[in-house]
Amino acid sequence: MLDVGKWPVFALLPPEELRLVRQACVFGSAANEAIYVTVNDEVFALGTNCSGCLGLGDTQSSIEPRRIDILCGKKIVSLSYGTGPHMVIATADGEVYAWGHNGYSQLGNGTTNHGLTPALVSTNLISKRVTEVACGSHHTIALTTEGEVFAWGYNNSGQVGSGSTANQPTPRRVSSCLQNKVVVNIACGQLCSMAVLDNGETYGWGYNCNGQLGLGNNGNQQTPCRIAALQGINIVQVACGYAHTLALTDEGFVYSWGANSYGQLGTGNKSNQAVPTLINMDKERMVEVAACHTSHTSAAKTQSGQVLMWGQCRGQAVAYPHLTHFTSTDDVFACFATPAVTWHLLSVDGDDYLTVAQSLKREFDSPEISDLKFLVDGKCIHVHKALLKIRCEHFRALLNETDEEAIEIHQFSYLVYRAFLEYLYTDTINLPPEDAIGLLDLATYYRESRLKRLCQETIKRGISEENAITLLSAAVKYEARVFGGGSLSH
């Protein structure tokens, strides 16, 4: 489960509901709004619902969770919010949905009418797959699988990167010097945007009066500008606070620039910096930096799992990185940021990591990347040729001789053949004893000795007075040669 206990907005959720939470976001001017996703991929919202930002179709506040039907089953991979607030998500299918405040067209639908329910953002994105979204106060940027950036919404300082200061009502490709470049990470401050390229270069555009673009000056930029001071330094992640920026290098160093009145640059003073400044981290290697456009708080996580924080911490100005007892940067924002909102989509630790065994199990009978199907009793079973060849001598020989994409099986039942293929993916069998006799017959046919032993154990364990006749008749039905060898005669 995801531990959301440090976020007060979740305090009224009963334990049985909390146990189901897998992803969560806390947002709003007083951290009084939340959206969460359960293990069943259902999406719920609760809180004050300013500007319809909960996506429930109305502006009613709700102290109890209400389901956002349109988002259920969508598999959210990225989420961000503005100060209106407006909400934007990207799904596993690469679609973008937006809702909430829309006074500056930050929902990308060409209007300035608030959106009470999540709506697909389609203009210029319909053939694109978006992997990451980021919001400033009233603008939105999105990153595609091809490394393109699209932007829309409020543009008073050039934060949309269009070369003007006119608001952008629908998604527009951010080009100029990003043309033909591949972006891998994006972030937004209140009124600025940042992008990291696959070659480690960093670009910024928009508001720059505090030096948050890192360009060595305080002039706003209406198109992306490369941060020349980071020449030769490979940046892998950026995070933006209200008016400051943090950047993580491939060697685990952290640079900061921009506003510093709360010590959020971690330099030991409160002077703004218009160029990237290396933060002294006592030789610790960092693996993550964290900041949120709603606050002046900064955090970072070390390779050994320690969490540091600095900047505005519950009203105090902490000018040097301070070691905490937290295990995640999220806890810094829950306990010390003002407002105490999430800096990114909270997810269960390790949610995205699967062992080899778990990965294979998940892909069994899934058509998505399957390259072979068996047709048994009129039903399909989706598999992968390479795995079958690796796991079974019979298939190694068979599949080397055929390029078929579908193979019909007549001598075994669907239930038995599916159990056999599932065994090749999972190393286990999941059948009642009477069907295990059929699988035992198959194992004998395919000379799968380990599978034979598993079947025999299953049958032995399952024999009782009540089902002995059933098992015997099943053995006869399958003409199994398993009684002769004394393997079942205990």
Side-chain angles (χ1 to χ4, degrees):
M1 63 181 263
L2 179 67
D3 179 15
V4 290
K6 291 187 175 74
W7 308 88
V9 70
F10 287 111
L12 283 180
L13 252 61
E16 59 272 20
E17 182 72 10
L18 285 172
R19 274 196 290 273
L20 299 176
V21 176
R22 286 294 176 275
Q23 294 174 301
C25 169
V26 178
F27 60 103
S29 57
N32 282 339
E33 281 137 336
I35 286 176
Y36 66 91
V37 185
T38 69
V39 66
N40 307 316
D41 211 25
E42 290 187 304
V43 185
F44 293 88
L46 70 159
T48 46
N49 205 11
C50 294
S51 307
C53 66
L54 297 184
L56 296 166
D58 55 49
T59 53
Q60 297 294 310
S61 65
S62 181
I63 202 159
E64 292 196 331
R66 291 168 59 193
R67 195 165 70 168
I68 311 176
D69 291 328
I70 192 172
L71 295 183
C72 292
K74 291 286 184 199
K75 295 200 175 353
I76 298 172
V77 294
S78 179
L79 175 154
S80 192
Y81 54 84
T83 52
H86 74 289
M87 296 289 298
V88 184
I89 64 156
T91 71
D93 290 337
E95 293 180 330
V96 177
Y97 289 82
W99 65 97
H101 194 284
N102 196 32
Y104 303 91
S105 299
Q106 59 263 51
L107 301 187
N109 60 15
T111 78
T112 52
N113 305 323
H114 296 337
L116 298 183
T117 52
L120 186 67
V121 183
S122 55
T123 305
N124 296 329
L125 294 181
I126 215 71
S127 60
K128 306 290 180 183
R129 285 178 69 99
V130 170
T131 56
E132 192 179 351
V133 289
C135 298
S137 60
H138 301 290
H139 78 288
T140 308
I141 64 175
L143 175 64
T144 72
T145 48
E146 285 142 31
E148 303 166 309
V149 177
F150 287 79
W152 60 95
Y154 195 34
N155 194 33
N156 67 330
S157 307
Q159 59 266 48
V160 165
S162 59
S164 79
T165 54
N167 293 347
Q168 178 62 38
T170 53
R172 177 192 176 277
R173 168 93 190 271
V174 181
S175 49
S176 61
C177 59
L178 288 187
Q179 192 76 39
N180 304 320
K181 304 270 200 324
V182 176
V183 174
V184 294
N185 177 231
I186 54 174
C188 290
Q190 279 279 295
L191 300 165
C192 70
S193 306
M194 304 294 302
V196 179
L197 269 52
D198 59 349
N199 64 3
E201 291 181 348
T202 305
Y203 286 73
W205 60 99
Y207 189 76
N208 193 33
C209 289
N210 306 103
Q212 54 262 64
L213 299 186
L215 303 173
N217 60 51
N218 294 104
N220 294 353
Q221 299 293 333
Q222 295 171 13
T223 54
C225 291
R226 185 173 68 85
I227 301 179
L230 291 174
Q231 175 74 38
I233 296 166
N234 220 351
I235 301 300
V236 292
Q237 186 214 341
V238 286
C240 293
Y242 188 95
H244 77 286
T245 309
L246 304 174
L248 176 69
T249 77
D250 61 342
E251 295 180 340
F253 295 111
V254 177
Y255 287 83
S256 62
W257 58 92
N260 198 26
S261 49
Y262 296 93
Q264 60 263 50
L265 300 187
T267 53
N269 59 48
K270 293 182 185 177
S271 304
N272 292 1
Q273 295 288 339
V275 290
T277 306
L278 183 63
I279 304 179
N280 179 5
M281 294 289 195
D282 279 341
K283 299 187 174 64
E284 281 277 4
R285 187 188 179 108
M286 298 296 143
V287 293
E288 180 180 73
V289 288
C292 183
H293 69 77
T294 55
S295 69
H296 311 285
T297 308
S298 301
K301 189 174 185 176
T302 72
Q303 195 169 29
S304 60
Q306 293 180 309
V307 173
L308 301 152
M309 71 177 190
W310 62 98
Q312 189 179 32
C313 300
R314 289 191 81 87
Q316 290 190 56
V318 179
Y320 282 112
H322 180 81
L323 186 62
T324 70
H325 63 271
F326 297 136
T327 55
S328 85
T329 53
D330 301 315
D331 293 348
V332 170
F333 290 84
C335 300
F336 284 94
T338 310
V341 293
T342 50
W343 72 274
H344 65 165
L345 179 64
L346 297 179
S347 291
V348 175
D349 276 350
D351 204 27
D352 54 347
Y353 177 78
L354 296 173
T355 63
V356 173
Q358 288 167 331
S359 299
L360 295 182
K361 185 175 182 177
R362 189 171 72 165
E363 289 302 326
F364 172 64
D365 203 12
S366 165
E368 192 180 353
I369 55 168
S370 151
D371 57 359
L372 175 66
K373 60 186 176 187
F374 285 98
L375 302 169
V376 194
D377 299 342
K379 296 177 190 164
C380 257
I381 309 167
H382 297 274
V383 291
H384 307 78
K385 291 178 184 175
L387 185 133
L388 298 193
K389 286 194 213 175
I390 290 166
R391 294 280 288 150
C392 175
E393 284 298 327
H394 165 77
F395 286 128
R396 181 170 294 201
L398 174 75
L399 296 174
N400 277 338
E401 292 168 10
T402 178
D403 288 329
E404 296 291 322
E405 289 180 8
I407 298 174
E408 284 194 55
I409 299 294
H410 300 290
Q411 65 267 51
F412 300 104
S413 72
Y414 171 78
L415 196 69
V416 164
Y417 210 75
R418 190 180 193 280
F420 168 50
L421 294 171
E422 189 170 14
Y423 159 77
L424 296 178
Y425 280 72
T426 64
D427 257 338
T428 56
I429 61 172
N430 186 16
L431 277 179
E434 50 271 31
D435 293 306
I437 291 180
L439 187 55
L440 178 53
D441 194 36
L442 180 150
T444 309
Y445 181 77
Y446 284 145
R447 296 194 177 92
E448 287 286 330
S449 53
R450 183 175 179 274
L451 181 57
K452 274 175 73 172
R453 285 197 304 276
L454 278 177
C455 291
Q456 288 167 348
E457 285 164 19
T458 300
I459 297 161
K460 282 180 197 173
R461 277 200 308 270
I463 289 183
S464 65
E465 283 183 30
E466 289 77 28
N467 69 3
I469 302 297
T470 316
L471 284 178
L472 189 57
S473 61
V476 171
K477 182 178 97 176
Y478 286 120
E479 301 173 0
R481 295 160 293 283
V482 295
F483 285 90
S487 56
L488 294 174
S489 55
H490 299 299

